[in-house]
């Protein structure tokens, strides 16, 4: 209970997320990094655009511990803006333009971001403060060659360290006032290495594919931490498909998209996955992905057994927003019935009673999580 199940220590390299991404750009500059609607960006194109915006953010005072809000539609440019914030040293805060106005106002008022990156079409929905940058109105002078190069230490206001925050994502507020969860680069890069490092979660499938890159569908709202699992696939060198809102919310359209684009990886919730399966996701080789990962809610035994019988790899990923996306992982093939599984690398989990004592196997209790992936805390709520 205390030792064997939690013997998870792995010595991963210390890095920030932009450093991992820039290393991938150097390896595969001309490979497709992001696809959204009719837009395709190579790693070099994505990196160049992000660098240009990152310099502008640094000029506006963005630095480590700064929060920069993204108030944008799903697009390839969203990924550009996200990477730019991280490259400038800031922490990105996703704010969904489809959210109710009072939630948008509350989040921006509570987080007090240094800047908001938005578009002309959404600017009027923002409160008067904070300052904003219109992504679709940047001047052409930003296109010079120097501005597209990776930022040096002298280009930033302060060099970001693994202990600096990478993102702030707000809870839904279902158990009280929404709170901003502050997650550091060290936590995010630990998740990356757990998934894509030697012996990682997806190592067997990636090794079996050889030199072939995977096509990964992003279906989660970008304001949820679940969006990071597909994003990390891109950082690892695979092709990220940012599925538009109309397609991702219609099971038949999404299955058609998966088949037409031969998506290899789908990451979603069990209830959404059930709709996709009913719409033919695993009906034939063309529409069946190689990997399905799911989380965010409990999965029923019926769907679990369907996944066990299918010719794919399936993973149950469990974790609260406060624990950098995933805390426990269960390969479906290894378990006859639904379980949460075992802790990720450098993560510990304990099932305790009301007096914080470990309960025996099979006895109900509450799940406690510890380790490097635990968030720093709630933004502005150190207590």
């Amino acid at each position: 209970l205390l030792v064997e199940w939690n013997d998870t220590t792995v010595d991963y390299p210390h890095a920030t997320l932009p450093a991992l991404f820039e290393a991938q750009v150097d390896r595969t500059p001309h490979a497709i990094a992001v696809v959204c609607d009719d837009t395709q960006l190579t790693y070099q194109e994505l990196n160049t655009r992000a660098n240009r915006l990152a310099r502008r953010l640094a000029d506006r005072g963005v630095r480590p511990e700064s929060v920069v809000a993204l108030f944008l539609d799903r697009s390839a440019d969203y990924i550009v803006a996200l990477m730019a914030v991280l490259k400038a040293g800031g922490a990105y805060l996703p704010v969904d333009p489809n959210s109710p106005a009072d939630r948008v106002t509350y989040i921006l008022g509570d987080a007090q971001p240094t800047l908001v990156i938005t578009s002309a079409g959404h600017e009027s929905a923002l409160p008067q403060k904070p300052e904003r940058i219109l992504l679709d109105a940047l001047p052409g002078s930003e296109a010079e060659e120097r501005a597209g190069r990776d930022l040096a230490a002298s280009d930033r206001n302060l060099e970001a360290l693994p202990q600096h925050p990478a993102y702030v994502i707000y809870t839904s507020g279902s158990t009280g006032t929404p709170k901003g969860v502050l997650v550091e680069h060290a936590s995010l890069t630990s998740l990356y290495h757990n998934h894509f490092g030697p012996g990682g979660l997806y190592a067997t499938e990636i090794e079996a594919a050889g030199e072939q890159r995977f096509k990964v569908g992003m279906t989660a709202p970008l304001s949820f931490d679940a969006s990071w699992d597909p994003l990390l696939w891109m950082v690892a060198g695979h092709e990220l498909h940012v599925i538009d809102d109309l397609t991702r919310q219609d099971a038949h359209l999404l299955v058609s998209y998966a088949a037409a684009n031969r998506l290899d990886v789908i990451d979603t919730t069990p209830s959404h996955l059930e709709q996709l399966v009913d719409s033919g996701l695993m009906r034939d080789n063309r529409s069946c992905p190689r990997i399905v990962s799911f989380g965010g809610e409990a999965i029923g035994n019926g769907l679990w057994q369907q996944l066990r019988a299918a010719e794919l790899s399936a993973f149950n990923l469990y974790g609260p927003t406060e624990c950098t996306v995933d805390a426990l992982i269960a390969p479906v093939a290894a378990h006859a019935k639904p379980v949460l599984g075992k802790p990720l690398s450098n993560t510990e989990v304990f099932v305790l009673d009301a007096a914080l004592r470990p309960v025996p196997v099979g006895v109900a209790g509450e799940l406690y999580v510890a380790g490097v992936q635990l968030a720093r805390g709630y933004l502005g709520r150190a207590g």
Side-chain angles (χ1 to χ4, degrees), residues 67-74 78 82 91-113 115-119 122 125-127 130 168-170 221-224:
V67 175
V68 179
L70 272 60
F71 192 65
L72 296 164
D73 292 324
R74 296 172 73 89
Y78 192 107
L82 186 159
Y92 99 94
L93 164 65
V95 183
D96 191 345
N98 296 315
S99 294
D102 58 350
R103 179 174 171 88
V104 172
T105 300
Y106 169 78
I107 289 176
L108 294 178
D110 185 69
Q112 294 292 302
L115 291 169
V116 177
I117 302 175
T118 188
S119 61
H122 289 308
L126 290 170
V168 179
I169 287 183
Y170 271 73
L222 287 157
S223 57
F224 284 85

Side-chain angles (χ1 to χ4, degrees), residues 179 376-383:
K179 297 177 288 294
R376 178 193 290 182
Y378 295 117
L379 180 65
R381 292 174 171 80

Side-chain angles (χ1 to χ4, degrees), residues 1-10 327-328 341-352 358-359 367-372:
L1 294 177
L2 299 180
V3 179
E4 290 180 18
W5 288 1
N6 289 297
D7 183 15
T8 63
T9 302
V10 180
L328 292 152
K342 297 181 179 179
L344 277 69
S345 303
N346 301 315
T347 301
E348 300 168 310
V349 295
F350 306 94
V351 183
L352 309 179
V359 299
L367 184 67
Y368 284 73
V369 183
V372 70

